[in-house]
């Protein structure tokens, strides 16, 4: 007989060749720390397996957020993960890259001072919106106090089709939201619909370059000119803010003659998402102001406890430098010509897809992808099945196609939306159309789920 000596470390090393070792025998605790440690390979496998339950980001047609970047960009992001971007004294190269990015974006938006632009990078457009909204409120309040007027009833004029962050801003910062209704016949705000809501307590009018619901551009030049005329008539100074989260990196390349930005004098600030059509992984965005006077100095804080006196205007403080580095990589790598080619390709794919969707029969198009590469469509007759049924059916093929109702006063209309992003090829578009035809055919034949027979569908 031989005596076997059990060495726990040796035994654990031997067991590591199995998929999960002894850890796989029972579930790990979900809401408290495990008592012991595991090998890094085992921890990686367990987390990786849980993530398998996510949908494919590349087939997610709901999100505007970038889901593909070049491996060289990803390598640079890894190099900058550990750099706290707020610490500009310790990481001056990253700080300089951020400054350049702000100036590049300001130049794209036709800011007069694009080499010394007034702007900040943010985690995304949500933070940028909060910062721009605060600047609007502070600027209005300063003018009220200087004129000896009350400054306790600010309001913001915006469409019911705004992204939810604007609702958050109004609620969090105690600003009355004056909503301009969207209708079935008019899915964006207009100059005529905006003006009745504006008064001397209006801190700003928000216009959208690429709405979340349909991807359409609002008539920003018309709105800006109408607000300018109203200001002249009433002696007011109501500014316009442009929410260019989705369209800010599209319009300069595909619609260079469209006047929506700082070419319009009443436009005082613009936000944009770098992680949308700026083609960068989340999260990065920018808030840009026309001039220094449009960003009240009272909102800027100066800190010296990181080594050096640093001005800061952010809601967040610490964040890694990897996203801004990746954004700069895109600017250097692509240039104007590269961005144009990508946006043009995405636009062509979106328009081609929307055209084919329109030919299917049961759909009506709300937008066609010609403004930004996004289109929305609704069922002509939702009595047999709904867009929610169709969305569910498409999910069985792996596609995530969002179905939702339109904003207040148009909520009786439910639509589907398709966002075409970098990494979505014409070939994938053909597969999408094949699966959409299959899903429509199934629902046309059997009706909405619950009453149909369990008939297998065919993958194409």
């Amino acid at each position: 007989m031989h005596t076997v000596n059990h060495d726990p470390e040796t035994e654990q090393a031997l067991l590591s060749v199995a998929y999960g070792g002894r850890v796989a025998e029972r579930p790990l605790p979900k809401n408290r720390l495990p008592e012991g440690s595991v090998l890094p390979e085992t921890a990686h496998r367990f987390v990786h397996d849980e993530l398998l339950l996510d949908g494919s980001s590349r087939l997610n047609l709901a999100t505007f957020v970038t889901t593909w970047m070049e491996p060289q960009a990803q390598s640079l992001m890894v190099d900058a993960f550990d750099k706290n971007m707020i610490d500009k004294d310790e990481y001056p190269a990253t700080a300089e890259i951020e400054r350049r990015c702000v100036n590049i974006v300001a130049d794209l938006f036709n800011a007069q001072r694009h080499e010394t632009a007034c702007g900040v990078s943010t985690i995304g457009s949500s933070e940028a919106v909060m910062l721009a909204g605060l600047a609007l409120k502070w600027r209005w309040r300063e003018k009220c106090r200087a004129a000896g007027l009350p400054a306790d009833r600010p309001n913001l004029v915006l469409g019911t089709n705004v992204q939810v962050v604007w609702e958050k801003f109004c609620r969090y910062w105690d600003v009355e939201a004056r909503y301009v209704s969207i209708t079935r016949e008019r899915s964006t705000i207009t100059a005529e619909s905006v003006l009745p809501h504006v008064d001397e307590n209006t801190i700003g009018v928000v216009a959208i370059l690429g709405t979340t619901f349909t991807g359409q551009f609002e008539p920003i030049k018309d709105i800006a000119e109408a607000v300018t005329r109203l200001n002249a008539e009433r002696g007011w100074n109501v500014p316009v803010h442009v929410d260019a989260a989705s369209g800010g990196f599209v319009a300069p390349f595909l619609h260079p003659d469209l006047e929506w930005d700082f070419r319009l004098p009443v436009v005082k600030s613009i936000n944009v998402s770098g992680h949308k059509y700026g083609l960068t992984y989340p999260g990065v965005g920018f808030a840009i102001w026309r001039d220094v006077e449009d960003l009240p100095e009272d909102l800027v804080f100066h800190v010296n406890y990181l080594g050096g006196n640093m001005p800061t205007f952010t809601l967040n403080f610490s964040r890694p430098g990897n996203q801004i580095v990746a954004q700069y990589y895109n600017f250097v790598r692509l240039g104007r010509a590269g961005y144009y080619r990508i946006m043009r390709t995405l636009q062509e794919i979106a328009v081609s897809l929307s055209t084919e969707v329109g030919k299917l029969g049961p759909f009506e198009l709300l937008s066609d992808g010609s403004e930004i590469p996004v289109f929305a469509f609704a069922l002509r007759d939702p009595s047999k099945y709904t867009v929610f049924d169709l969305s569910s059916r498409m999910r069985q093929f792996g596609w995530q196609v969002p179905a939702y109702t339109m904003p207040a006063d148009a909520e009786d209309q439910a639509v589907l939306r398709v966002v075409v992003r970098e990494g979505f090829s014409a070939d994938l578009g053909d597969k999408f159309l094949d699966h959409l035809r299959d899903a429509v055919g199934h629902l046309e034949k059997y009706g909405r789920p619950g009453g149909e027979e369990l008939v297998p569908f065919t993958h194409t």
Side-chain angles (χ1 to χ4, degrees):
M1 296 181 64
H2 299 279
T3 301
V4 179
N5 294 321
H6 293 282
D7 181 351
E9 291 187 5
T10 303
E11 187 174 283
Q12 187 178 24
L14 290 171
L15 286 173
S16 69
V17 299
Y19 187 78
R22 293 287 181 246
V23 182
E25 292 180 345
R26 60 185 62 85
L28 289 171
K30 302 298 190 293
N31 302 301
R32 59 178 174 80
L33 278 175
E35 293 301 324
S37 303
V38 298
L39 294 171
E41 295 85 354
T42 303
H44 176 271
R45 282 195 293 265
F46 271 77
V47 177
H48 176 269
D49 286 357
E50 184 126 13
L51 292 174
L52 291 175
L53 300 174
D54 277 343
S56 168
S57 61
R58 295 282 295 283
L59 299 183
N60 181 5
L61 302 184
T63 183
F64 286 77
V65 173
T66 296
T67 55
W68 182 88
M69 287 192 77
E70 292 176 322
Q72 293 87 346
Q74 296 185 50
S75 175
L76 286 171
M77 293 182 77
V78 170
D79 291 342
F81 269 126
D82 61 341
K83 296 180 180 179
N84 188 358
M85 204 174 69
I86 198 68
D87 192 348
K88 294 175 171 52
D89 188 65
E90 186 70 22
Y91 306 114
T94 303
E96 170 62 14
I97 285 173
E98 179 191 20
R99 188 195 67 80
R100 293 175 191 172
C101 285
V102 168
N103 288 337
I104 289 169
V105 174
D107 181 55
L108 283 176
F109 297 167
N110 292 289
Q112 293 180 347
R113 296 172 43 137
H114 62 268
E115 292 185 359
T116 55
C118 181
V120 295
S121 74
T122 61
I123 291 178
S125 269
S126 292
E127 184 185 11
V129 160
M130 292 286 183
L131 298 178
L134 283 172
L136 291 174
K137 181 177 178 179
W138 253 244
R139 191 166 176 263
W140 168 83
R141 190 171 64 182
E142 288 174 353
K143 290 182 178 179
C144 287
R145 289 173 175 172
L149 298 172
D152 59 343
R153 299 288 298 276
N155 69 73
L156 183 68
V157 177
L158 62 172
T160 55
N161 58 340
V162 293
Q163 211 266 357
V164 69
V165 66
W166 284 105
E167 299 178 49
K168 290 182 179 180
F169 166 76
C170 290
R171 186 177 302 178
Y172 294 168
W173 302 106
D174 198 21
V175 174
E176 176 194 354
R178 292 191 174 177
Y179 289 112
V180 181
S181 294
I182 302 303
T183 66
R184 265 181 172 267
E185 295 74 29
R186 175 179 51 78
S187 54
T188 66
I189 65 173
T190 63
E192 295 74 21
S193 62
V194 162
L195 291 186
H197 298 272
V198 179
D199 64 20
E200 67 276 9
N201 290 322
T202 300
I203 66 173
V205 174
V206 178
I208 310 173
L209 190 75
T211 69
T212 299
F213 286 88
T214 63
Q216 293 171 289
F217 291 165
E218 295 190 320
I220 295 172
K221 183 178 181 180
D222 291 346
I223 293 169
E225 291 177 343
V227 171
T228 299
R229 289 193 298 269
L230 186 65
N231 284 338
E233 293 169 4
R234 305 289 176 85
W236 298 341
N237 194 16
V238 176
V240 170
H241 173 88
V242 177
D243 184 344
S246 300
F249 281 114
V250 178
F253 308 108
L254 295 186
H255 314 282
D257 296 326
L258 181 68
E259 294 181 43
W260 63 271
D261 52 19
F262 292 125
R263 285 170 287 185
L264 304 172
V266 76
V267 172
K268 300 299 183 182
S269 52
I270 301 171
N271 68 276
V272 66
S273 292
H275 59 226
K276 293 182 180 177
Y277 288 105
L279 308 180
T280 302
Y281 286 140
V284 61
F286 300 90
I288 308 293
W289 286 268
R290 167 178 289 277
D291 213 332
V292 175
E293 68 179 17
D294 298 309
L295 174 57
E297 175 62 27
D298 190 38
L299 289 173
V300 180
F301 289 82
H302 296 265
V303 298
N304 63 9
Y305 45 75
L306 292 176
N309 184 25
M310 290 174 290
T312 174
F313 180 38
T314 59
L315 296 181
N316 192 67
F317 196 67
S318 295
R319 62 186 174 106
N322 57 335
Q323 275 86 4
I324 200 71
V325 168
Q327 184 67 77
Y328 188 60
Y329 169 85
N330 279 342
F331 289 160
V332 172
R333 163 82 171 89
L334 297 174
R336 284 183 176 267
Y339 268 99
Y340 169 78
R341 285 195 299 270
I342 289 173
M343 298 306 155
R344 181 65 177 169
T345 298
L346 297 180
Q347 181 191 55
E348 289 175 351
I349 293 172
V351 171
S352 175
L353 286 178
S354 68
T355 300
E356 292 303 313
V357 168
K359 293 177 182 177
L360 283 181
F363 303 118
E364 60 174 318
L365 292 173
L366 279 70
S367 56
D368 64 0
S370 59
E371 292 173 310
I372 62 174
V374 175
F375 64 94
F377 54 103
L379 282 168
R380 298 181 188 278
D381 178 14
S383 61
K384 189 173 184 181
Y385 60 93
T386 69
V387 292
F388 301 97
D389 301 324
L390 188 56
S391 176
S392 178
R393 190 74 188 170
M394 289 296 287
R395 193 173 281 267
Q396 297 179 52
F397 295 104
W399 298 103
Q400 300 166 64
V401 188
Y404 51 88
T405 56
M406 293 293 282
D409 295 326
E411 65 268 26
D412 59 328
Q413 185 175 44
V415 303
L416 294 160
R417 187 191 67 221
V418 171
V419 179
V420 178
R421 304 180 307 279
E422 175 71 326
F424 189 93
S425 63
D427 185 65
L428 270 179
D430 285 343
K431 303 298 289 185
F432 168 78
L433 288 171
D434 288 342
H435 292 153
L436 183 62
R437 294 186 186 101
D438 188 300
V440 168
H442 179 90
L443 291 169
E444 290 283 349
K445 185 174 182 179
Y446 298 105
R448 65 180 311 164
E452 82 260 35
E453 299 176 26
L454 293 176
V455 179
F457 53 85
T458 305
H459 286 278
T460 56

